């Protein structure tokens, strides 16, 4: 089935979700990929979520969305651990459309600016 979104044209909005849950197998895969001890990866890149037993990805500050996952390269807007990314990142958006990409495409069309990024964060004058 064809996809109606293109992540290469998007500044990785989905990597800005505050709650991106990961499983133990995700942390093990990331540790192997990075060549680091599992405890180091868990400490540096994950933290407890609000739900019981939940572990989520840690964030870093970001000019576009306020904060994003620590694994995102903020210049290229690409995942630095793409081959080893968590399962939930592989599954998203779980459909042939991405709601944010539809919004992004619409705004770029009406603003007549193919690089436009709709964001209320850090908007001048607000
Ligand atoms: S928000 Fe949608 S288009 Fe953007 S990177 Fe995520 S899945 Fe791709
Ligand atoms: S691991 Fe990669 S794909 Fe997943 S949220 Fe972080 S930067 Fe995005």
């Amino acid at each position: 089935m064809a996809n109606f979104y293109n992540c290469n044209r998007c500044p990785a909005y989905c990597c800005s979700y505050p709650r991106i849950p990961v499983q133990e197998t995700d942390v093990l895969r990331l540790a192997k990929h990075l060549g680091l001890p599992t405890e180091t990866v868990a400490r540096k890149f994950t933290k407890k979520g609000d739900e019981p037993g939940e572990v989520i990805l840690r964030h870093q500050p970001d000019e576009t969305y306020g904060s994003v996952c620590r694994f995102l390269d903020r210049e290229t807007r690409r995942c630095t651990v793409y081959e080893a990314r968590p399962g939930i990142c592989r599954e998203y958006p779980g459909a042939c459309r991405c709601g944010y990409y539809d919004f992004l495409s619409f705004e770029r069309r009406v603003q007549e600016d193919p690089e436009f990024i709709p964001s209320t964060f850090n908007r001048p004058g607000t």
Side-chain angles (χ1 to χ4, degrees), residues 14 20 29 40 42 49 67-68 72 80 90 103 107 116-117:
C14 53
I20 304 174
R29 189 184 326 102
T40 306
S67 77
V68 288
L72 188 74
T80 57
R90 293 163 196 267
F103 172 53
E107 288 295 331
F116 185 77
I117 299 168

Side-chain angles (χ1 to χ4, degrees), residues 18-63:
R19 179 173 168 253
I20 304 174
V22 292
Q23 308 302 318
E24 210 175 319
T25 48
D26 293 320
V27 179
L28 288 171
R29 189 184 326 102
L30 286 163
K32 193 174 169 197
H33 177 77
L34 295 167
L36 292 172
T38 310
E39 301 71 37
T40 306
V41 172
R43 195 178 59 246
K44 247 180 116 174
F45 298 104
T46 72
K47 63 177 186 178
K48 279 184 184 168
D50 289 338
E51 298 297 316
E54 185 180 60
V55 176
I56 61 174
L57 292 175
R58 281 187 190 275
H59 274 213
Q60 59 181 334
D62 179 58
E63 285 191 0

Side-chain angles (χ1 to χ4, degrees), residues 5-8 10-15 78 92-93 98-101 104:
Y5 60 92
N6 181 357
C7 300
N8 293 325
C10 173
Y13 172 75
C14 53
C15 303
R78 302 271 71 90
Y92 193 87
C98 167
Y100 181 78
Y101 194 78
L104 184 69

